[in-house]
């Protein structure tokens, strides 16, 4: 902002210099293991190498989640690059981060489809959620992060994240796993072992490695056992089919914009449509994104030693804007990626220049239809093995939030206040309000978690020996 008395020409020059300085990194070449700050970069050859690692790290999850949401993975990859660049610009290159596809909306999206919504309904609901997150970011920027913690304390945030993850269990059990149970089981075992037993960077890309493993295993099973008879996703009757079909890959072009139609007949690139019922199904995902973004900024601040609290609101707003922009064209929602924090932790290279490289590579991949066809050919059994682990991890991240913030379940406010909402969300309970409007599963569970927690918290202030305490003692 220009000072009083400054000329318009002087303001314009100052702003231009500020923008140009964002793209000037101090070139350093330290010994391995020495940190590289966000405002620094390695020589371009090494920067490209680190950027490629970031692409590999985000790659698996970024195109798995569009697949399970019924959206286009090519478009998701391309917009992940575009949105990463926007995030870096909005945060003035102070918060190194990659925006990959968010898993927080998967449960809401599948609920929308179960109620007859199509892809335009999905992207319309997610677009509204992105705009809500943008408004939260603006509020946090001007009011401070304390307002978020008051409304969404760790006890509530952990419960919402948990019910989002565990609500997805029937999707694995009823859709993906039955398509090829043995491939699903072996892929899940491989992914768990890879994530825990492989060293350093390799453990960070366990999702990608599991995809490759499952693909090769499915191809091998086709050669040894022949076609399998199962119900493909979206079908109602079992049919005989190969686990891996390359027909779509052979027909796809090498270069081109994302195009074609999705499984429900909606164009890959499409405009959103809006329904309040569907919007309420995905709004709980905003709470998960708030938790993810704030945790990301705090983690980066701890790693770099920088004070990033002034950028917390910008980070939230940038992710919200990115999600809304992507959804406006039929793309997937975005979030900051822990996988890429892992790359920074392993390399100690925090340079935002590497993230620009990663974003440009992602955009180029999104412009390769043949790559998208390979992704779309992922066998259902492989997705079953991967999602059974990923969905469980989403749920357990909620427990991780509780543990890290020392949530005391000896306190009845936490134990009793969250209980009903968790069961309603995980059990997919429905509350029918009118013939045309109902609250289901994640949406209803989230509302109950927030309302009941604050209700009992307000009612028990100043009285540690509440009646609810007797309930917990009885348990």
């Amino acid at each position: 902002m220009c000072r009083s008395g400054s000329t318009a020409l002087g303001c314009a020059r100052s702003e231009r210099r500020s923008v140009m300085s964002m793209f000037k990194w101090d070139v350093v070449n330290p010994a391995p293991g020495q940190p590289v700050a966000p405002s620094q970069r390695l020589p371009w050859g090494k920067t490209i190498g680190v950027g490629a690692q970031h692409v590999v790290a985000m790659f698996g999850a970024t195109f798995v989640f569009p697949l399970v949401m019924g959206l286009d993975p090519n478009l998701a990859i391309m917009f992940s690059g575009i949105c990463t660049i926007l995030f870096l610009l909005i945060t003035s290159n102070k918060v190194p981060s990659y925006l990959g596809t968010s898993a927080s909306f998967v449960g809401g999206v599948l609920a929308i489809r179960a109620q007859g919504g199509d892809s335009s309904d999905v992207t319309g609901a997610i677009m509204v959620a992105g705009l809500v997150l943008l408004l939260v970011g603006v509020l946090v920027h001007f009011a401070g992060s304390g307002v978020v913690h008051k409304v969404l304390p760790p006890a509530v945030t952990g419960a919402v994240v948990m019910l989002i993850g565990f609500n997805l269990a029937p999707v694995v059990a009823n859709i993906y796993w039955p398509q090829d149970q043995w491939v699903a089981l072996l892929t899940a075992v491989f992914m768990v072992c890879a994530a825990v037993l492989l060293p350093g960077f390799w453990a960070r890309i366990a999702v990608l490695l599991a995809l490759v493993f499952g693909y090769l295993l499915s191809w091998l099973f086709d050669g040894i056992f022949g076609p399998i008879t199962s119900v493909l996703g979206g079908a109602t009757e079992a049919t005989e089919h190969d686990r891996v079909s390359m027909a779509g890959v052979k027909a796809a072009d090498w270069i081109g914009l994302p195009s074609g139609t999705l499984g429900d007949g909606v164009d890959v690139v499409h405009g959103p449509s809006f329904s309040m019922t569907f919007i309420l199904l995905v709004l709980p995902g905003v709470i998960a994104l708030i938790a993810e973004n704030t945790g990301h900024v705090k983690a980066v601040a701890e790693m770099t030693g920088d004070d990033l609290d002034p950028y917390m609101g910008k980070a939230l707003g940038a992710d919200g804007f990115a999600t809304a922009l992507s959804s406006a064209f039929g793309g997937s929602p975005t979030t900051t990626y822990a996988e890429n924090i892992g790359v920074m932790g392993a390399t100690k290279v925090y340079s935002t220049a590497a993230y620009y490289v990663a974003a440009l590579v992602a955009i180029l991949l999104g412009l390769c239809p043949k790559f998208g066809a390979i992704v779309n050919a992922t066998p259902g059994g492989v997705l079953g093995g991967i999602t059974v682990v990923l969905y469980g991890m989403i749920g357990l991240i909620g427990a991780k939030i509780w543990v890290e913030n020392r949530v005391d379940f000896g306190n009845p406010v936490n134990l009793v206040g969250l209980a009903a909402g968790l069961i309603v969300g995980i059990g997919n309970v429905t509350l029918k309000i009118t013939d045309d409007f109902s609250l289901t599963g994640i949406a209803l569970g989230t509302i109950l978690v927030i309302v009941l927690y604050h209700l009992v918290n307000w009612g028990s202030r100043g009285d540690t020996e509440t009646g609810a305490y007797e309930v917990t003692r009885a348990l």
Side-chain angles (χ1 to χ4, degrees):
M1 182 179 294
C2 292
R3 296 177 180 177
S4 177
S6 299
T7 65
L9 181 59
C11 286
R13 288 174 176 172
S14 176
E15 291 174 359
R16 191 160 52 245
R17 283 195 299 270
S18 177
V19 170
M20 292 301 295
S21 65
M22 287 176 57
F23 298 99
K24 290 183 179 179
W25 296 273
D26 296 329
V27 181
V28 297
N29 196 11
Q34 295 298 311
V36 178
S39 59
Q40 299 175 329
R41 69 168 174 84
L42 297 168
W44 279 118
K46 293 183 178 180
T47 295
I48 291 172
V50 175
Q53 289 188 67
H54 280 298
V55 172
V56 174
M58 66 83 184
F59 193 70
T62 291
F63 74 70
V64 163
F65 291 124
L67 280 178
V68 299
M69 287 189 286
L71 300 175
D72 186 66
N74 244 40
L75 194 63
I77 290 287
M78 186 175 76
F79 266 103
S80 76
I82 294 171
C83 292
T84 294
I85 292 174
L86 287 173
F87 182 93
L88 295 171
L89 293 175
I90 292 172
T91 58
S92 305
N93 281 352
K94 299 295 184 181
V95 186
S97 179
Y98 193 92
L99 293 192
T101 304
S102 171
S104 301
F105 295 100
V106 172
V109 168
L110 296 177
I112 289 174
R113 294 194 181 280
Q115 294 186 26
D118 62 15
S119 294
S120 62
D121 295 314
V122 166
T123 51
I126 293 175
M127 183 179 180
V128 173
L131 294 174
V132 170
L133 182 60
L134 171 59
L135 293 176
V136 171
V138 173
L139 176 63
V140 170
H141 182 69
F142 289 103
S145 59
V147 65
V148 173
H149 296 307
K150 288 181 179 178
V151 178
L152 300 173
V156 169
T157 303
V160 172
V161 173
M162 179 174 285
L163 66 85
I164 285 174
F166 291 159
N167 175 270
L168 295 168
V171 177
V172 177
N174 299 328
I175 297 178
Y176 295 118
W177 192 275
Q179 291 185 43
D180 194 333
Q181 60 177 2
W182 293 111
V183 167
L185 177 61
L186 292 172
T187 301
V189 170
F190 176 88
M191 181 172 167
V192 170
C193 293
V196 176
L197 301 179
L198 292 181
F201 174 73
W202 295 103
R204 298 288 182 182
I205 59 170
V207 175
L208 177 60
L209 295 178
L211 280 165
V212 175
F213 172 83
Y215 234 113
L216 293 177
L217 186 66
S218 298
W219 174 77
L220 185 64
F221 278 16
D222 277 339
I224 297 175
F225 304 112
I228 187 173
T229 300
S230 65
V231 179
L232 291 171
T236 56
E237 296 182 0
T239 57
E240 185 178 74
H241 57 89
D242 290 332
R243 295 168 180 82
V244 180
S245 175
M246 291 287 108
V249 178
K250 294 176 182 177
D253 295 329
W254 280 102
I255 300 175
L257 292 169
S259 60
T261 57
L262 299 168
D264 58 2
V266 176
D267 290 342
V268 165
V269 180
H270 61 267
S273 59
F274 304 98
S275 162
M276 181 56 67
T277 299
F278 296 151
I279 289 169
L280 289 175
L281 290 174
V282 301
L283 277 181
V286 174
I287 297 174
L289 290 185
I290 292 172
E292 289 173 354
N293 276 277
T294 53
H296 181 94
V297 172
K298 289 178 180 178
V300 172
E302 184 174 340
M303 295 169 74
T304 62
D306 296 332
D307 177 16
L308 297 181
D309 282 352
Y311 296 92
M312 187 75 74
K314 286 187 175 182
L316 289 166
D319 189 15
F321 177 66
T323 291
L325 176 67
S326 177
S327 299
F329 293 91
S332 302
T334 63
T335 188
T336 49
Y337 256 33
E339 290 89 337
N340 296 93
I341 290 184
V343 173
M344 290 192 291
T347 62
K348 294 191 182 303
V349 177
Y350 312 116
S351 172
T352 53
Y355 281 98
Y356 280 104
V357 171
L360 292 174
V361 172
I363 292 171
L364 292 175
L365 283 174
L367 296 174
C368 178
K370 195 170 288 291
F371 158 75
I374 293 173
V375 173
N376 278 312
T378 303
V382 178
L383 291 176
I386 290 172
T387 53
V388 75
V389 180
L390 286 177
Y391 293 170
M393 288 175 62
I394 295 170
L396 289 175
I397 286 172
K400 180 172 177 282
I401 292 172
W402 286 341
V403 172
E404 290 180 345
N405 291 277
R406 297 181 176 86
V407 176
D408 178 15
F409 284 102
N411 182 345
V413 170
N414 296 326
L415 183 62
V416 182
L418 303 177
L422 278 171
I423 293 301
V424 165
I426 295 171
N428 211 34
V429 174
T430 298
L431 178 67
K432 187 175 181 180
I433 298 173
T434 69
D435 290 339
D436 300 321
F437 181 73
S438 61
L439 292 170
T440 304
I442 294 174
L444 179 58
T446 299
I447 291 172
L448 286 178
V449 162
I450 295 173
V451 172
L452 293 179
Y453 174 86
H454 286 290
L455 178 65
V456 296
N457 186 54
W458 175 79
S460 64
R461 283 175 184 170
D463 180 10
T464 57
E465 296 295 330
T466 64
Y469 181 64
E470 298 303 323
V471 175
T472 62
R473 289 181 63 185
L475 298 175

